[in-house]
Amino acid sequence: MKNILEYLELTAEKHPDKLAAKDEKKQCTYRELHQRAREIGTDIAKRQGIRKPVAVFMEKSVDTLEIFMGIVEAGDFYVLVDPTFPYQRIAQIFGVLEPELVITKSEYREKLGETGYNGVVIEESELGHEVDEKLLADIRKQSKDTDPLYGIFTSGSTGVPKGVVICHRSVIDFIEPFTEIFGITEKDVIGNQAPFDFDVSVKDIYSCLKTGATLIIIPKAYFRFPNNVVDMLEDNKVTTLIWAVSALCLLNRLHGLKYKVPSAIDKIMFSGEMMPIKQLNQWRAHYPNAMFVNLYGPTEITCNCTYYILDREFTEEEKLPMGVAFPNERVFLLDDENKEVTASGISGEVCVAGTALALGYYNNPEMTAKAFTINPLNPHYPEMIY
């Protein structure tokens, strides 16, 4: 397998009428998602060449997912730019990305215009033509597994947002063991919390595409009203939460689980920051038989590099371990002299090697060279680490 579209194609063939994705306004089956992606892909492919970025100036939704897959069908890579971001950040992202094409909705066109972007703008409702089978087949023949799939912009601690670019192979390399280790199958319903410009959503989207699970897209606004979130989880019989720690804590602190405990949840995975044990234990009290997983890893290594399946109780004085590395990833520590730390109790910098490494930062060779470097422990051949 060299292209994530193979996930979509195989699942659409195996489960054509199964619900693929649903938000508060729209839903689609796997057959419909595949067809819509090919229509959108044909349209985009007639507008620009392959391996180029397409900015999606929209919030997460079923429509957004269809556009993502259409962009990939066209041989390009997608970058979601949240229209609720401040003007300055949007302008900075566009300045780095330099997209020839931006896809948006009518309600966001005015703000897009005010950011200074002057390239081609297409509204989502305008996309889609009759599928050009030959055009899409020719694009696929040219594809390789290291082609970029998506870009995600970091918070920009240096003042300028950095666009992390991830290829098809890295996502395949991660999602294959991820779904196997945690037992995600076509029977699962994944409740998506993360925005689509946050790499937690990558686990939601591609776990579904690979296995035939259903993606329930919970609107960001719902998290101001936790009862709405809980109702959506229960009404759709969500089984799996792959959420940011902050979202799990927010739902708990706002007493969402006192209102209702969704009955089907059996897998709860979290990442992004250290999970407070007090909050964790409150969740575990509601779901004593669920699998809880602590995930760790930055965007630059495709979602996560380590995992720990909780196998005991923890007191509030303890901290959760990072756990073990995912298959085909090496995770190790280096000290200030670039020597490997092997003794317990000694601090070091976390380094990762393996296929999951990002391609680098888009249009930013200087920062790429600083973060993605040659492994100093390997003098025999150039081995990249992050």
Side-chain angles (χ1 to χ4, degrees):
M1 179 175 288
K2 68 176 184 177
N3 191 302
I4 61 90
L5 289 172
E6 294 174 58
Y7 283 156
L8 176 56
E9 291 160 356
L10 291 170
T11 298
E13 181 179 348
K14 188 176 181 180
H15 306 288
D17 299 317
K18 193 171 186 296
L19 184 62
K22 177 182 177 182
D23 58 31
E24 79 278 23
K25 298 177 181 177
K26 177 179 175 178
Q27 63 184 41
C28 70
T29 66
Y30 275 103
R31 178 193 283 120
E32 291 167 340
L33 175 59
H34 185 216
Q35 177 63 23
R36 180 65 175 147
R38 290 168 65 75
E39 293 169 355
I40 294 171
T42 296
D43 196 332
I44 294 172
K46 291 181 177 180
R47 297 173 185 268
Q48 69 173 30
I50 60 175
R51 301 187 185 96
K52 294 184 177 182
V54 179
V56 182
F57 195 66
M58 295 166 56
E59 295 190 68
K60 64 178 184 175
S61 66
V62 172
D63 288 333
T64 307
L65 179 61
E66 292 173 343
I67 290 168
F68 282 0
M69 293 301 102
I71 292 167
V72 181
E73 286 276 7
D76 294 314
F77 67 99
Y78 60 84
V79 182
L80 187 128
V81 181
D82 192 327
T84 66
F85 281 165
Y87 289 100
Q88 182 181 9
R89 177 167 171 80
I90 295 170
Q92 286 178 325
I93 291 174
F94 283 151
V96 173
L97 195 63
E98 299 178 337
E100 297 176 12
L101 176 63
V102 174
I103 299 172
T104 190
K105 283 182 174 285
S106 58
E107 57 261 41
Y108 304 132
R109 283 204 74 139
E110 182 178 348
K111 183 168 186 178
L112 179 61
E114 293 174 1
T115 66
Y117 176 73
N118 56 10
V120 177
V121 179
I122 306 173
E123 291 189 16
E124 173 271 332
S125 60
E126 301 169 352
L127 278 171
H129 290 84
E130 183 177 347
V131 175
D132 188 328
E133 300 283 355
K134 184 180 184 305
L135 176 61
L136 297 185
D138 288 344
I139 289 170
R140 186 71 69 85
K141 286 178 183 178
Q142 299 177 64
S143 73
K144 59 186 188 301
D145 62 359
T146 52
D147 285 343
L149 170 61
Y150 65 82
I152 288 181
F153 277 81
T154 64
S155 57
S157 57
T158 60
V160 178
K162 300 191 297 291
V164 182
V165 183
I166 304 291
C167 71
H168 289 252
R169 171 51 54 192
S170 294
V171 172
I172 294 168
D173 189 66
F174 176 75
I175 288 295
E176 292 286 333
F178 184 84
T179 52
E180 181 179 349
I181 290 168
F182 306 125
I184 298 173
T185 72
E186 75 278 2
K187 297 179 181 178
D188 279 301
V189 180
I190 298 178
N192 161 253
Q193 166 266 319
F196 281 2
D197 61 342
F198 187 29
D199 70 349
V200 174
S201 68
V202 172
K203 291 172 278 190
D204 296 335
I205 292 169
Y206 291 104
S207 292
C208 288
L209 293 185
K210 181 194 183 302
T211 64
T214 295
L215 183 66
I216 303 299
I217 302 171
I218 306 170
K220 180 169 64 175
Y222 275 30
F223 284 86
R224 295 196 294 268
F225 308 97
N227 289 5
N228 291 349
V229 175
V230 173
D231 282 336
M232 199 165 187
L233 296 175
E234 176 61 21
D235 292 346
N236 292 283
K237 292 294 181 274
V238 167
T239 65
T240 305
L241 306 182
I242 311 172
W243 285 15
V245 167
S246 57
L248 288 171
C249 293
L250 177 67
L251 196 66
N252 197 34
R253 287 173 178 147
L254 295 180
H255 309 296
L257 297 179
K258 289 185 178 179
Y259 162 67
K260 185 186 295 181
V261 177
S263 59
I265 293 173
D266 60 13
K267 292 181 283 293
I268 300 174
M269 309 178 206
F270 45 87
S271 60
E273 58 190 281
M274 185 71 73
M275 168 63 88
I277 301 300
K278 181 178 179 180
Q279 297 292 327
L280 170 65
N281 287 341
Q282 290 178 11
W283 272 92
R284 295 185 82 179
H286 289 293
Y287 293 101
N289 298 316
M291 175 175 61
F292 285 78
V293 185
N294 183 32
L295 299 166
Y296 168 79
T299 302
E300 286 86 345
I301 52 83
T302 312
C303 301
N304 303 120
C305 55
T306 68
Y307 69 95
Y308 171 65
I309 300 175
L310 276 65
D311 56 1
R312 65 176 179 87
E313 299 295 321
F314 284 81
T315 66
E316 293 186 25
E317 291 72 34
E318 294 181 283
K319 294 182 179 180
L320 296 178
M322 286 170 56
V324 298
F326 277 96
N328 204 34
E329 297 188 50
R330 183 187 174 204
V331 181
F332 57 101
L333 298 180
L334 290 179
D335 64 17
D336 292 339
E337 297 179 350
N338 279 338
K339 294 180 179 179
E340 186 172 8
V341 176
T342 57
S344 62
I346 306 299
S347 297
E349 184 174 16
V350 178
C351 299
V352 184
T355 307
L357 264 64
L359 297 175
Y361 300 118
Y362 195 71
N363 276 339
N364 196 335
E366 181 179 344
M367 293 304 297
T368 297
K370 287 182 179 180
F372 298 87
T373 64
I374 301 299
N375 184 358
L377 304 179
N378 185 353
H380 309 294
Y381 56 88
E383 178 189 24
M384 296 300 298
I385 63 172
Y386 172 77

